[in-house]
Amino acid sequence: REHDRGNEINARRARPNECVSSLQTMSVLRQLYDRDFPVYKQPVEIGYFSLDSKRKFWNDARQLRYYVEPEKCPNFNLRDGYRDRFVKRDDSIKEKLDHILRWILANRHKVQSKNVTCPVGVDFVTWRGHLTKLLTTPYETQEGWLLAVSKLAGTLYISEVETEYACRNRDNRTERHEEMMYWGYKFEQYTCADEAQGCPDSGGVVNTNEAFCTVVQTRLAEHKLLFSGEVDCREADLQAPQAPACYIELKTSAEIHTPKQRSNFHRYKLLKWWAQSFLPGVPKIVAGFRDNDGQVVDVETFKTSQISQLIKTEYNCWKPTVCMNFCSDFLSFVRETVREDDPRTVYLFSWDPHKDVTFTIHRDSEYSFLPDWFVKEMTR
Ligand code: A3P
Ligand code: MG
Ligand code: MG
């Protein structure tokens, strides 16, 4: 694995014959995107899939869980089980878009369009998490991103490439940070049941390979999007509105004592929480506030649609319209840039804080991410 890692790092440096210097760039300055909110159609769930405890793909909802409302001040110890009942997903394995592509092949009838030049019938296919990063870019000062884009049969596929900075951070996480990453999943176990009428089993194993993912279709300005995102749980009431309106996002956060802490929560955390849930149309976020020992001391519900109101008390705070207009303009930039319809060609879009977005072009490189089994089926 160490050997592979070395190759990966080398792969990130474009070789001279692969590199086309960026003739076009894109600014991320907030004021350029502070205009009317763009059209964002209500996201429609067109399907879902599950990843089991071994990370195996299933074209069904077997991993969907049901929310069980906890007490206002529950006695949840998020540290419980970290040592002895935790199976952690191997995050050095890069799955790229593979699960979504598998879903598309298994559900061709749902995505097929009559347009023979664009059989998937959307402009973009990607993960919700990649779009979340785009939405928050105008406000991000710490972490840049690399997004690989290939065009196949008229559709643009966007797949993230881990930056050297993120790779180093992943390798150098402290033991404390490793444990705190577990706390979010432990909170999910305390608040979710496997069946609609069931009870949470806080004595079970937390396995972060397991996931339920929704697949939604929507439109941002003139861009038709198909993306997938992990969903933590749904309302246990089977009479609840249909997905994605019945979905609930679960979060943990440090408890808030001071005005400064509240302000930081509004400025940084709520931006990420809002972007993640707004994109797939998840209306509700349940937050467990915990102390430094991992004890949940308060549970609060946030309506995704009310977060923009909640933050208006902050001076010079983030604006949803800036996030959405930046994302829309970036997608336009990608469409203008990516001309070659060839799965072996990758346009690598790169952004670092305080800089412009740039791109390089790579043919038959280690960046290629559309697998042969998908290309073969889509070009049949
Ligand atoms: P919290 O949400 O309570 O922070 P998600 O909230 O997206 O459903 O993710 C579940 C948990 O995965 C998170 O719980 C956190 O523990 C962990 N996690 C998600 N994204 C992460 C990231 N970028 N870095 C570290 N941990 C992350
Ligand atoms: Mg989740
Ligand atoms: Mg969550």
Side-chain angles (χ1 to χ4, degrees):
R1 258 175 53 196
E2 271 316 299
H3 176 75
D4 288 352
R5 177 70 54 71
N7 280 343
E8 247 181 75
I9 290 169
N10 288 334
R12 271 181 221 110
R13 290 193 204 102
R15 297 191 186 115
N17 63 334
E18 288 178 333
C19 172
V20 171
S21 66
S22 309
L23 298 170
Q24 267 174 294
T25 63
M26 183 188 172
S27 169
V28 305
L29 288 177
R30 290 164 205 175
Q31 58 268 32
L32 297 173
Y33 305 99
D34 194 356
R35 52 176 195 264
D36 285 350
F37 202 84
V39 169
Y40 189 64
K41 276 187 38 181
Q42 187 66 45
V44 174
E45 181 176 78
I46 56 169
Y48 41 75
F49 59 87
S50 294
L51 303 172
D52 71 12
S53 60
K54 301 236 162 69
R55 206 65 182 170
K56 182 175 151 61
F57 174 97
W58 296 91
N59 188 32
D60 59 38
R62 66 183 64 196
Q63 296 291 348
L64 175 59
R65 293 177 296 177
Y66 298 83
Y67 178 65
V68 178
E69 194 178 329
E71 288 169 46
K72 179 71 180 149
C73 305
N75 273 320
F76 294 162
N77 172 13
L78 301 180
R79 309 185 78 155
D80 177 51
Y82 176 65
R83 297 264 161 233
D84 56 315
R85 300 192 319 281
F86 179 28
V87 177
K88 187 175 172 288
R89 178 170 76 90
D90 181 350
D91 53 9
S92 70
I93 297 173
K94 299 301 169 207
E95 299 172 325
K96 298 175 258 191
L97 297 185
D98 289 4
H99 298 307
I100 302 178
L101 304 182
R102 206 172 283 284
W103 181 88
I104 289 175
L105 285 193
N107 298 275
R108 290 187 79 146
H109 57 284
K110 291 189 192 167
V111 295
Q112 223 147 29
S113 79
K114 286 173 208 92
N115 182 351
V116 284
T117 60
C118 186
V120 175
V122 295
D123 302 308
F124 292 92
V125 169
T126 192
W127 282 108
R128 178 269 310 274
H130 301 357
L131 294 173
T132 304
K133 285 200 180 179
L134 288 170
L135 259 62
T136 58
T137 296
Y139 300 102
E140 180 61 48
T141 58
Q142 302 292 313
E143 285 219 38
W145 46 249
L146 285 170
L147 293 171
V149 184
S150 285
K151 196 198 283 194
L152 172 66
T155 294
L156 292 151
Y157 294 81
I158 305 179
S159 179
E160 187 175 36
V161 174
E162 191 176 45
T163 63
E164 282 189 46
Y165 177 86
C167 182
R168 259 198 297 273
N169 274 350
R170 186 159 56 77
D171 280 341
N172 299 329
R173 285 196 287 244
T174 61
E175 182 49 39
R176 168 83 177 169
H177 187 199
E178 282 286 343
E179 185 184 328
M180 286 174 71
M181 285 173 54
Y182 167 80
W183 292 1
Y185 298 107
K186 185 66 189 175
F187 182 64
E188 294 176 7
Q189 189 194 50
Y190 275 119
T191 52
C192 295
D194 289 341
E195 274 106 43
Q197 312 299 334
C199 284
D201 172 20
S202 61
V205 170
V206 170
N207 186 324
T208 58
N209 287 299
E210 296 173 4
F212 168 79
C213 296
T214 180
V215 181
V216 304
Q217 205 171 309
T218 183
R219 181 163 60 86
L220 170 58
E222 66 270 37
H223 311 297
K224 277 195 195 171
L225 315 177
L226 183 160
F227 59 85
S228 175
E230 204 218 332
V231 169
D232 292 335
C233 59
R234 59 157 289 155
E235 303 274 4
D237 182 358
L238 296 173
Q239 309 296 312
Q242 60 171 287
C246 60
Y247 289 152
I248 302 174
E249 173 59 41
L250 302 171
K251 290 287 177 196
T252 64
S253 198
E255 62 179 325
I256 294 164
H257 298 292
T258 68
K260 182 73 189 165
Q261 286 169 340
R262 180 165 311 276
S263 171
N264 283 338
F265 174 74
H266 286 162
R267 284 175 186 281
Y268 305 110
K269 230 161 213 181
L270 282 186
L271 165 59
K272 299 214 164 142
W273 290 8
W274 171 81
Q276 182 189 26
S277 289
F278 178 76
L279 278 165
V282 172
K284 198 162 132 180
I285 303 168
V286 173
F289 290 92
R290 48 95 192 148
D291 63 21
N292 286 329
D293 297 323
Q295 202 76 30
V296 175
V297 293
D298 181 28
V299 176
E300 272 183 61
T301 299
F302 295 88
K303 282 195 181 148
T304 309
S305 60
Q306 286 177 358
I307 289 179
S308 60
Q309 285 302 315
L310 207 65
I311 58 156
K312 284 211 169 116
T313 53
E314 299 293 336
Y315 171 73
N316 202 8
C317 202
W318 58 274
K319 291 180 179 174
T321 198
V322 169
C323 301
M324 296 303 283
N325 282 314
F326 172 76
C327 184
S328 173
D329 286 8
F330 174 76
L331 296 178
S332 300
F333 180 55
V334 169
R335 279 170 95 158
E336 286 159 19
T337 305
V338 180
R339 294 291 171 83
E340 262 182 66
D341 195 315
D342 181 344
R344 287 154 44 178
T345 302
V346 164
Y347 295 69
L348 186 65
F349 292 83
S350 169
W351 177 73
D352 281 308
H354 315 296
K355 301 232 169 87
D356 287 350
V357 178
T358 61
F359 69 89
T360 51
I361 305 176
H362 309 260
R363 295 190 179 83
D364 288 315
S365 74
E366 294 93 318
Y367 292 118
S368 296
F369 62 88
L370 290 173
D372 289 337
W373 53 260
F374 183 73
V375 173
K376 214 179 272 173
E377 280 300 313
M378 292 315 291
T379 50
R380 224 148 49 108

